[in-house]
Amino acid sequence: MTWEFSIENIAGIRQGEARIEPGVNVVRASNWQGKSSFLASIETALGTATPLTEGQATGRVTVTTADDDIAVTLERTDGSVSRTGTPYLHDEYDRVCATLFASLDETNEIRRAVRNGETIEHLLTRPLDFENIDERIADLKAERERVETERDRAADAADRLPQLRSRVTDLESTLDELHAQRADLDDETGGDTDSRDRLSELRVERDRVDSRIDRLETTAERVRETLAEKRAELEALSVPSSEDIERELETLHEDCRDVERDVELLQSVYEANKRVLDEGRTELLTDVSHDVLADTVTCWLCGEDTTRDEIEAQLAALDERIGELDSQADEYRERVATLEAKRDEVREARRRETELTDRIGTLESRLAETEESLESARERRSELASRIETLAEAVDATEERTLELESEIKYTETELEEVRADLEDAEAQADQLSTLDDEYASLTAEISELRGRKTEIKRRTREAFSTALEDLLERFDTGFETARLTSGFDLVVARDGREARLDALSEGEREVLGLVAAVAGHDAFDVDERVPVLLLDGLGGLASDNLRTLVDYLRDRAEYLVLTAYPEHEGFDGHELSPADWQVVSHDVDAETAP
């Protein structure tokens, strides 16, 4: 299945397209042509690296496969590079495995640690940090406890099966015997169901009458309480006589009207004469003699001589009289308002008295009707009690036995149904016992496996290291006889039958050991099941034939093996990629330095 790549501003590649095929893929070119950058593009698509081209704000890798389209975009913000899109590897655990055991370039931490003679235990076991072993063990233990509880229930159910089956058999026998006794009793009594039915009807009717009596007694008690309340309220109500108030109001209204008419009349006289004087028009009404000291005026009412001052004094006296009458009218009106309020209070008291009297009458009538109905109901109950007693005596003593048998039959049928249900549930639970035992054993084994996961991974890694090294030593002509990983994951090399220091090995030999250690992790963690690509780069320390030997050894460990090679390296029997059409950063440098 071909993977088609489109690359823009990734590492040293500004623009380029390429494809890889299943098997070996070789990127062959000289230095600074984008070989390592292409492998960085694959890592970007996998989601294990973000190698945005220096000086660029964005970069992008797209991969088209037969099953999916992958697009990853890199962006530089405030000096850091972020990734958007959905890379091939979604899980952080898979990315860690790919970084350590599938991206085997010269920056690979395992190769670098071996190269520098550093410990590699923490590198070979790092994926375990992402497996959440403790949390998984806790979840499995909780699940095992649940299964254990269900298993205990199933075991209890299995233990109870004989007892439940015996109980079902006993109840079935008891029920058959009860039905037989019931049939024999019907034969003896001739099946006299009419009397039983009539007795049942009378008892039902008696129950209904009892309920009616209870309701009527409750109603009568409630009416009595309400009646007592209304009578107490009526007794406490005081209704004074309003005849004196009405007579006084009538007198006051007449007196007030008389005073108001007097005020109105005097006010008319005062205003008319006042206006004549104020406007100086006395000549319109009488003769005026103008003397040196004062004017003499003939009074237009009495015909006597007088002066303007005397007329004004008379008007002032008239105005004072009008004020006195106004005050008297106000007093009358205030007294009228007071008496009218008292009259309204009397009317409201009379209205409430009438209302209470009517309500009391209604309640007394309702109480009488209720007591009459209650008495009738009690008489009916007494009659029914007598009829029930007479009819019950008429029913043969076997009737009670019939009822007892029917009750026992119903009780036994109910108990049998419940026991059968319990038996069915117990059988279903017991049937699960074997499955629960297997599930419990499986969970226990999985917990044990997780508890020993780190130890098992170390063991598998050491075994994979030994196997890979043994296989490679048969292919490579190295300067050491063997190497091994100790239990503490120290790398021990033997040369000439003695332990040798790593820094005494050649660069190529250390690179081989670093690759073997990474391949051991690749096998121990089953990386090929999650990461389909294996990347090789930075193998300049290996001769051409050794590099070809290494490729032949690794070609079956991944679906896609991608490596870099120089033009002088011999063919690798695989798909070759040429970066001739790629636009790389080194081309920009060449263009800048060209004459």
Side-chain angles (χ1 to χ4, degrees):
M1 181 174 60
T2 302
W3 281 21
E4 300 282 351
F5 285 82
S6 177
I7 306 163
E8 179 182 353
N9 291 333
I10 299 298
I13 301 177
R14 292 196 179 280
Q15 193 77 34
E17 295 182 352
R19 63 183 174 86
I20 61 173
E21 302 286 352
V24 178
N25 296 266
V26 184
V27 187
R28 187 186 299 277
S30 299
N31 289 332
W32 308 302
Q33 300 302 306
K35 301 190 302 297
S36 298
S37 296
F38 178 65
L39 269 63
S41 300
I42 297 177
E43 292 174 341
T44 301
L46 292 176
T48 60
T50 56
L52 180 61
T53 301
E54 185 176 357
Q56 299 299 313
T58 60
R60 182 179 176 84
V61 175
T62 60
V63 183
T64 302
T65 70
D67 299 326
D68 198 5
D69 290 329
I70 300 168
V72 177
T73 300
L74 304 182
E75 295 184 359
R76 193 186 310 278
T77 305
D78 297 331
S80 62
V81 177
S82 61
R83 175 177 55 231
T84 56
T86 305
Y88 183 86
L89 299 177
H90 305 285
D91 189 77
E92 186 65 22
Y93 176 82
D94 294 340
R95 294 176 185 173
V96 170
C97 288
T99 301
L100 290 170
F101 309 126
S103 298
L104 306 183
D105 55 18
E106 61 182 353
T107 64
N108 179 271
E109 293 184 73
I110 298 175
R111 286 182 59 186
R112 183 172 56 194
V114 174
R115 188 186 309 134
N116 298 333
E118 301 169 353
T119 181
I120 58 175
E121 178 182 8
H122 67 289
L123 297 175
L124 290 175
T125 59
R126 181 183 294 171
L128 295 176
D129 297 337
F130 294 86
E131 290 188 6
N132 299 323
I133 292 177
D134 291 338
E135 294 182 9
R136 291 168 62 189
I137 289 176
D139 292 340
L140 287 171
K141 288 176 69 176
E143 178 65 12
R144 187 176 65 176
E145 289 178 1
R146 182 192 65 79
V147 171
E148 185 176 15
T149 300
E150 292 184 6
R151 187 182 65 171
D152 292 343
R153 291 174 181 169
D156 291 341
D159 293 339
R160 289 190 300 113
L161 284 179
Q163 178 183 357
L164 288 172
R165 288 168 179 158
S166 176
R167 181 60 179 157
V168 167
T169 301
D170 292 344
L171 287 172
E172 288 174 344
S173 299
T174 300
L175 188 61
D176 290 342
E177 182 180 350
L178 289 171
H179 279 300
Q181 292 180 18
R182 179 71 174 83
D184 292 343
L185 193 61
D186 285 341
D187 292 340
E188 293 175 3
T189 60
D192 185 14
T193 59
D194 291 341
S195 297
R196 291 197 300 271
D197 292 343
R198 182 56 183 158
L199 181 60
S200 177
E201 291 173 358
L202 290 174
R203 285 171 175 166
V204 171
E205 185 178 356
R206 181 192 60 189
D207 293 340
R208 286 200 299 266
V209 171
D210 284 340
S211 298
R212 175 172 170 75
I213 289 173
D214 291 340
R215 291 195 302 272
L216 289 171
E217 287 177 344
T218 301
T219 301
E221 182 62 25
R222 188 169 57 249
V223 172
R224 289 190 190 99
E225 291 176 356
T226 305
L227 185 59
E229 292 175 359
K230 299 304 178 184
R231 285 172 174 169
E233 184 179 354
L234 180 60
E235 184 178 352
L237 185 64
S238 175
V239 183
S241 173
S242 63
E243 294 179 1
D244 294 340
I245 295 174
E246 294 291 347
R247 285 195 297 270
E248 186 175 354
L249 272 175
E250 183 178 355
T251 301
L252 285 172
H253 279 302
E254 292 178 358
D255 293 344
C256 186
R257 284 194 295 270
D258 292 341
V259 171
E260 287 174 346
R261 282 195 299 270
D262 291 345
V263 169
E264 183 180 359
L265 178 60
L266 292 177
Q267 189 70 35
S268 301
V269 172
Y270 173 81
E271 289 177 355
N273 286 279
K274 178 67 173 168
R275 183 178 178 185
V276 170
L277 290 178
D278 290 342
E279 294 182 5
R281 303 300 298 277
T282 53
E283 290 88 351
L284 291 175
L285 299 174
T286 186
D287 296 330
V288 179
S289 299
H290 299 287
D291 297 331
V292 175
L293 296 177
D295 293 339
T296 301
V297 179
T298 302
C299 178
W300 53 85
L301 295 177
C302 64
E304 297 293 333
D305 289 338
T306 184
T307 63
R308 180 183 179 90
D309 291 339
E310 290 177 348
I311 294 175
E312 289 178 349
Q314 289 296 323
L315 286 176
L318 181 59
D319 185 46
E320 183 178 350
R321 177 58 179 162
I322 292 172
E324 292 174 353
L325 292 175
D326 278 335
S327 297
Q328 186 176 0
D330 289 340
E331 291 177 359
Y332 285 149
R333 284 190 287 270
E334 183 178 349
R335 179 59 179 163
V336 166
T338 301
L339 290 175
E340 287 178 343
K342 289 183 178 180
R343 181 191 61 189
D344 292 340
E345 291 176 0
V346 172
R347 289 176 177 175
E348 176 62 23
R350 286 179 177 173
R351 184 197 65 76
R352 182 57 180 163
E353 181 182 38
T354 301
E355 182 180 276
L356 287 172
T357 301
D358 294 342
R359 178 61 174 158
I360 288 170
T362 301
L363 289 171
E364 288 174 341
S365 176
R366 184 180 178 187
L367 179 60
E369 293 175 358
T370 302
E371 289 177 340
E372 183 178 353
S373 299
L374 182 59
E375 181 62 25
S376 298
R378 286 170 177 165
E379 291 176 357
R380 178 58 178 166
R381 181 175 62 181
S382 177
E383 177 187 350
L384 288 171
S386 176
R387 292 177 62 185
I388 289 172
E389 182 179 0
T390 301
L391 185 59
E393 291 175 354
V395 175
D396 192 80
T398 57
E399 174 64 18
E400 293 184 5
R401 179 56 182 159
T402 301
L403 295 175
E404 291 176 1
L405 285 173
E406 289 178 349
S407 177
E408 290 181 19
I409 288 172
K410 289 181 180 180
Y411 178 81
T412 304
E413 287 175 341
T414 301
E415 187 177 3
L416 178 59
E417 183 179 352
E418 292 175 352
V419 175
R420 282 173 174 169
D422 289 344
L423 177 59
E424 184 178 350
D425 291 342
E427 289 175 340
Q429 287 182 333
D431 290 341
Q432 295 295 317
L433 185 57
S434 176
T435 302
L436 291 170
D437 284 338
D438 294 341
E439 188 175 355
Y440 183 87
S442 175
L443 290 169
T444 300
E446 189 173 355
I447 290 171
S448 299
E449 181 182 350
L450 283 176
R451 284 173 174 164
R453 172 72 169 158
K454 193 167 188 177
T455 301
E456 175 64 16
I457 285 294
K458 286 184 177 182
R459 184 191 63 78
R460 290 175 58 184
T461 302
R462 289 197 303 271
E463 290 180 356
F465 180 87
S466 298
T467 300
L469 184 64
E470 182 180 348
D471 193 6
L472 284 175
L473 286 177
E474 294 178 358
R475 301 167 185 254
F476 287 96
D477 184 16
T478 63
F480 58 91
E481 292 91 17
T482 186
R484 64 185 178 86
L485 284 174
T486 68
S487 59
F489 269 58
D490 294 325
L491 185 58
V492 178
V493 180
R495 172 181 285 174
D496 298 329
R498 293 180 300 176
E499 183 176 332
R501 293 167 54 87
L502 283 178
D503 56 9
L505 302 181
S506 67
E507 178 184 351
E509 289 172 333
R510 290 197 301 272
E511 290 295 351
V512 169
L513 288 176
L515 288 169
V516 170
V519 169
H522 192 277
D523 291 347
F525 285 97
D526 300 320
V527 178
D528 60 311
E529 297 178 1
R530 298 181 298 278
V531 185
V533 181
L534 189 61
L535 306 178
L536 291 175
D537 189 22
L539 300 175
L542 295 180
S544 179
D545 56 341
N546 286 335
L547 180 58
R548 186 173 63 255
T549 299
L550 179 63
V551 171
D552 288 340
Y553 172 70
L554 296 176
R555 68 168 58 242
D556 295 329
R557 292 184 176 274
E559 185 177 356
Y560 302 90
L561 175 62
V562 185
L563 70 147
T564 63
Y566 291 107
E568 60 269 20
H569 288 146
E570 298 179 4
F572 294 94
D573 188 22
H575 172 65
E576 294 204 2
L577 295 81
S578 174
D581 296 331
W582 297 351
Q583 181 183 349
V584 296
V585 174
S586 60
H587 295 170
D588 300 340
V589 176
D590 293 341
E592 292 176 0
T593 58

